[in-house]
Every structure is written in C-alpha cells, then in structure tokens.
Amino acid sequence: MEPNDFYNEHFSNLCCYEDYLMRIDLLGKKHNDNDVLDSLPKCDEHRFIIVDGEIVWISHNGEMVANPDITSISYRAFAYCYGIRKVVIPKGVTFIGDFAFEGCCGLKSVTIPNSVTSIGEYAFYDCKLLKSVVIHDGVKVIKSDAFAGCEMLKSVIIPNSVTRIVDYAFYNCYGLKSIEIPAGVTSIGSWAFSGCEGLSSVTISSSVTDIGDWAFSACDNLKSVKVPIRCKIGWNAFPKNCEVIRY
C-alpha cells in the first residue's frame, strides 16, 4: 500500500501534531515505517500520534483512547495538544511524566487509573478548561504544579493512596470549591492550594503532619478549617480571615 493510500484509508478525517516524530521518541517508542510517517500532513489540530506505524491515541471528537501496551506517558508527550477534550489514562500506565499534558486548553476531564503511582510536575499545568479530575487509588504523589492554573477545575477526588501533595500542586485553581485531604496524606506543600479563590470547604485528615507556607493563601472564601493538633502549620498557610480550629 502506498503511504498516501495508507493515510487516506485510516486517517483522512483526523489530523496529526506537527511534531509527532519528536513525540514518538519522547514516548520511548520507535517508528518502523518512515515512509508512512513522513507522508502524514502537519496541521494545528492535534488529534493523534503514530507509534510503530500505528495510531495509538485517536480522537474523532477530542476523546483520547490509548493503546493498552503503553505503560508510561513521557515528558511533554501531549503538551499543547489543543484538540484533546477528554483523557482516560488506560490501566497499565504507571507514570505520567512532567509537562505531559501542559497547555491542553481544550481538555475538560481526566480519569487516572489505579495503576498510576505518580503524577509528574506540571503534568496538567494551565489546562484552563479542565473541570473534573478523578484520581483512583494508586497515586502516591501529586508533584509540583501538577494541576496549577486549571482555572475551571471544580472537583478533584484525591484517593487514600496519596501521601504527599507537593508545592503548587493546585495553585490558582479558581473554580475549586471544596477539597478533602484523605487519610494517608502526611504533608501539603507550600502554595499547594494558594489562589483557589472559590475554595470554601477544606477537610484535612488527622494523618496530615505538615502544612507548608502559604498553602491555602489567597483562598478568600475559606472562613474556617479544622487542623490536627499535631500538625505543623507553615507561615501564612491560611488567609487572615480564616479561623483555624485545632482538633
């Protein structure tokens, strides 16, 4: 089959990212059909990626479906893919790399399975339309700036498996209204929820022993919060008008 025929048969209604070859390398895969890959057009709609001559993340309507053989999503793998609307990370993926989905400004929902143990730095940074994040049991660390700048984020479920929420993890998530820090989390990093202007309800588990400086600063709608008696509270961790009740 000629390369153009291959494209027309399988991908005529889709588009590929202009740097798809670089992204293949970042995913840790090698392409074995250069003629086909080189024939694919470049455009601004980021709909799919080719790995080993096959389409592995495909979208007809902005929803991504992944090849189950993929076990990690590497550094900047899908950064600034504006056409992505929904991401369901497949079971088997264990690691979401730094900046993996940075700047995916069309992304609205993310589901992370229990096989994932770490969400990298800036993984979903500046995904401005992201509204819902479901993180299943398995993730242990939410790293720095993982969801920072997700201005529309309204709900996030943090599982009991998480032990650390690192600095700036949810910085400037203006739409976030409530958050429950589950049993298992021992530390909340500096500036972790700073700037979450809509945040009015925070539940902090008794397992938390350290809350970093400015962790909930500029959360002006947060009027009161209960904090474990043994927990160390950092400098300006809460707004001045927020009543901190020890329990």
Side-chain angles (χ1 to χ4, degrees):
M1 181 181 292
E2 292 296 320
N4 286 336
D5 293 337
F6 181 91
Y7 172 76
N8 289 332
E9 178 178 341
H10 296 283
F11 312 128
S12 58
N13 62 337
L14 300 172
C15 301
C16 70
Y17 189 73
E18 60 183 353
D19 293 328
Y20 58 85
L21 289 178
M22 177 190 73
R23 291 170 184 274
I24 290 167
D25 294 336
L26 291 174
L27 280 167
K29 303 288 185 179
K30 294 187 180 296
H31 42 285
N32 57 11
D33 196 336
N34 289 326
D35 290 337
V36 170
L37 288 170
D38 290 342
S39 73
L40 296 177
K42 299 178 181 180
C43 66
D44 293 327
E45 293 293 329
H46 313 146
R47 298 295 177 86
F48 66 74
I49 278 187
I50 304 297
V51 173
D52 291 334
E54 296 180 1
I55 195 161
V56 294
W57 294 76
I58 185 170
S59 172
H60 292 277
N61 57 3
E63 180 171 347
M64 296 175 64
V65 180
N67 184 324
D69 293 334
I70 293 176
T71 58
S72 66
I73 301 172
S74 298
Y75 173 84
R76 294 184 64 83
F78 297 98
Y80 296 98
C81 290
Y82 306 121
I84 298 171
R85 299 288 181 267
K86 178 181 180 182
V87 173
V88 178
I89 306 295
K91 292 180 179 179
V93 169
T94 60
F95 174 74
I96 300 174
D98 298 346
F99 300 92
F101 294 92
E102 175 196 12
C104 293
C105 58
L107 182 60
K108 294 183 178 180
S109 70
V110 173
T111 301
I112 299 173
N114 57 14
S115 58
V116 173
T117 59
S118 178
I119 301 173
E121 296 181 2
Y122 296 88
F124 296 92
Y125 175 75
D126 212 26
C127 294
K128 294 187 181 298
L129 293 183
L130 184 60
K131 293 183 178 181
S132 173
V133 175
V134 177
I135 306 172
H136 289 287
D137 255 345
V139 172
K140 295 180 180 179
V141 180
I142 301 174
K143 292 188 177 180
S144 175
D145 292 272
F147 296 95
C150 296
E151 299 175 356
M152 299 291 288
L153 185 61
K154 293 184 177 181
S155 67
V156 57
I157 298 174
I158 300 175
N160 291 333
S161 59
V162 172
T163 60
R164 290 189 299 135
I165 300 172
V166 182
D167 302 352
Y168 295 93
F170 294 92
Y171 179 74
N172 279 355
C173 291
Y174 304 136
L176 198 61
K177 298 187 181 301
S178 65
I179 192 72
E180 182 173 344
I181 309 299
V185 173
T186 59
S187 66
I188 301 171
S190 298
W191 305 86
F193 294 92
S194 178
C196 295
E197 298 173 351
L199 195 61
S200 60
S201 174
V202 175
T203 302
I204 300 176
S205 169
S206 60
S207 62
V208 176
T209 58
D210 186 84
I211 298 175
D213 298 342
W214 308 91
F216 293 89
S217 62
C219 297
D220 295 335
N221 281 320
L222 187 61
K223 302 304 181 183
S224 67
V225 61
K226 293 182 179 180
V227 179
I229 191 72
R230 293 176 293 179
C231 179
K232 177 184 176 183
I233 300 177
W235 180 260
N236 285 338
F238 297 97
K240 291 182 178 179
N241 64 338
C242 177
E243 180 185 9
V244 177
I245 304 168
R246 291 290 200 165
Y247 75 94

